[in-house]
Each structure stands twice: as C-alpha cells, then as structure tokens.
Amino acid sequence: MNIHTIPVITIDGPSASGKGTIAQLVARKLGFHYLDSGALYRLVALRTLQSCIDIDNIAQLTDIARKLNTVFKDNQIYLDGKIVTDDIRSEQCGNLASKLAAHSQVRAALIERQRAFRQLPGLVTDGRDMGSVIFPDANLKIFLTASAEIRAQRRHNQLIEKGISANIADLLQDIIERDERDSNRSIAPLQQCTDARLLDTSSLTISQAQDSVLTWYNEICAKTSA
Ligand code: DC
C-alpha cells in the first residue's frame, strides 16, 4: 500500500480559530481519522511542567517529545495511561507549547508520530504546519482563520460555558502574542501556503465552515475520478 494514496485534508491556522472543531466535524462526516497536532506539543508542555524542566534545555525537551507515551482514543488523550484531555487545554500548557514548538529538534522528534496517523480511509488534521511540512502532498489544504477579536470572543464564550471566569482583554492579548510567536519563528512558521485555500470564519457558522471544506473536498474527488 502506497501511503501517499491515502487522502489527507490539512487545516492549519492560528489559535482559537475553530480549526479543531471544523477538522473533527469533517473527519466524522467522511469517516476519516483525526489528528490534533497541537495536542502533541501541549503534551510535551505538560510533561515539561510536571518534570520541572528548564524550558531552555532543548535536549531534555526533545527527549520528552521523542519518548512521549501517549494514546488518542475515544476522544480522550492519555499520557502514561492517565487521561490528560482537559489538563493540556490550560492557557499555561498552550503558551508553553507555543514556546517549545519554536525549537527545530522538538519539531523533528514529532514528525514521524504525526505521519503515522495517515491511515485508511483517510485523515483530517489540524495545526500550524500540516500542509507545509508534515503532509505537503495533502489532497486539500486549508488555512482557516478569523479576526483576533472574534477568536478572543469565542474562547471567552467557551470558558464561560465551562464555568471558568475569563477576561476578554487578557484573552485577546494572549492570542495576539501567540500568533506573533507562531508566525515569526524560523522553523515551520504559521503561514498560508501557496496551495492552501483561505477560509475566514469571522462571519461563518460552524456548519457553514464545515460545508465549505466538504464542498471543496468533494470537488477535488470529482475532478480526480473524472
Ligand atoms: O493548536 P494548539 O493551540 O493546540 O497548539 C498549541 C501550540 O502548539 C501552538 O501555539 C503552536 C504549537 N503547534 C505547532 O507549532 N505546530 C503544530 N502543527 C501545532 C501546534
């Protein structure tokens, strides 16, 4: 079986753009596997925090990334057999993930683990470099974004729904700083690749965004089978 014949849809974009939600919905609709690549960086961040490792110790961070004992199963994420699905969603983990993701050695240690998710009948994945670095031959590449203000508002709503108090101004500041770091790093920066389609969800519902992705994918399938 040639791995490159297995279809892949990549959805890259900034934090809180809704790419995870859209990617999961599209994956469910198509019956494809789903990879949340940001979760891998967040897992490295969680383990780093738990082990009290200096975040400038690149050799140790890389070692954590290489040896990560994780399982993604039934919408849960396990680290060393323990469910950490909610733990890795903290702002602390997200910010540390963004910092350690700037190290090329850490990124390299996670490449094969990500590519291993490419299995039949197909894969939908979200992140920052899915279309540019991990799956450059993806069938459909999307750059999904929304204004920083809308993303801060959406994150605020999510936190309030969970009963967590939050301040929109702080969230907006956080999002702007994370965008800045993820976009300006020298290795695999967040950017729209030339062959990716732009999907701005600022004024779209989740269902409209999902439909756009499915329509594009169906068009590509129709063209390749014609
Ligand atoms: O998608 P997310 O917010 O869960 O990702 C957390 C951080 O991980 C993000 O700020 C940058 C990093 N990341 C990355 O560098 N490359 C990816 N493919 C996914 C995430």
Side-chain angles (χ1 to χ4, degrees):
M1 165 96 230
N2 179 355
I3 194 96
H4 297 283
T5 61
I6 300 175
V8 179
I9 300 175
T10 58
I11 305 184
D12 288 305
S15 74
S17 57
K19 59 192 188 312
T21 306
I22 304 299
Q24 283 179 74
L25 287 170
V26 170
R28 202 172 306 149
K29 200 89 184 166
L30 294 172
F32 282 11
H33 300 281
Y34 166 61
L35 164 64
D36 168 6
S37 65
L40 293 171
Y41 291 93
R42 286 173 180 268
L43 285 162
V44 177
L46 180 65
R47 181 39 37 97
T48 302
L49 290 169
Q50 287 169 341
S51 319
C52 302
I53 285 169
D54 177 353
I55 66 154
D56 293 322
N57 189 334
I58 300 173
Q60 274 190 315
L61 295 180
T62 308
D63 200 49
I64 289 178
R66 201 178 296 121
K67 295 181 180 155
L68 215 49
N69 174 19
T70 183
V71 175
F72 290 64
K73 194 167 171 250
D74 301 332
N75 293 325
Q76 295 290 4
I77 299 175
Y78 296 78
L79 182 61
D80 291 330
K82 187 174 167 278
I83 293 179
V84 293
T85 319
D86 291 335
D87 301 340
I88 61 167
R89 294 292 147 209
S90 71
E91 291 300 303
Q92 195 188 14
C93 264
N95 284 328
L96 181 54
S98 165
K99 285 180 190 153
L100 54 85
H103 298 303
S104 60
Q105 295 96 318
V106 174
R107 304 196 72 81
L110 295 173
I111 290 179
E112 287 317 314
R113 198 186 281 271
Q114 294 173 85
R115 291 193 175 141
F117 279 79
R118 187 174 198 168
Q119 287 179 19
L120 284 170
L123 174 69
V124 184
T125 178
D126 75 79
R128 305 292 186 289
D129 62 341
M130 295 297 98
S132 56
V133 176
I134 307 297
F135 301 107
D137 64 335
N139 305 59
L140 171 61
K141 298 182 186 180
I142 289 164
F143 189 77
L144 191 141
T145 190
S147 71
E149 288 73 17
I150 296 263
R151 287 184 280 137
Q153 182 66 59
R154 287 179 185 163
R155 175 147 289 171
H156 186 256
N157 295 348
Q158 274 173 357
L159 291 170
I160 298 299
E161 265 171 37
K162 285 185 189 165
I164 304 169
S165 68
N167 173 301
I168 294 203
D170 289 348
L171 291 172
L172 179 59
Q173 185 58 32
D174 212 55
I175 280 174
I176 291 171
E177 279 172 20
R178 187 107 71 90
D179 283 358
E180 186 82 6
R181 200 164 39 230
D182 292 346
S183 309
N184 293 328
R185 67 183 179 219
S186 55
I187 312 292
L190 166 69
Q191 60 183 16
Q192 182 183 353
C193 16
T194 48
D195 54 351
R197 299 180 195 215
L198 179 66
L199 183 56
D200 187 330
T201 65
S202 300
S203 56
L204 295 184
T205 63
I206 290 174
S207 151
Q208 286 171 324
Q210 175 199 331
D211 287 348
S212 299
V213 179
L214 288 168
T215 304
W216 283 333
Y217 183 65
N218 289 334
E219 281 168 9
I220 287 169
C221 290
K223 257 190 215 154
T224 43
S225 64

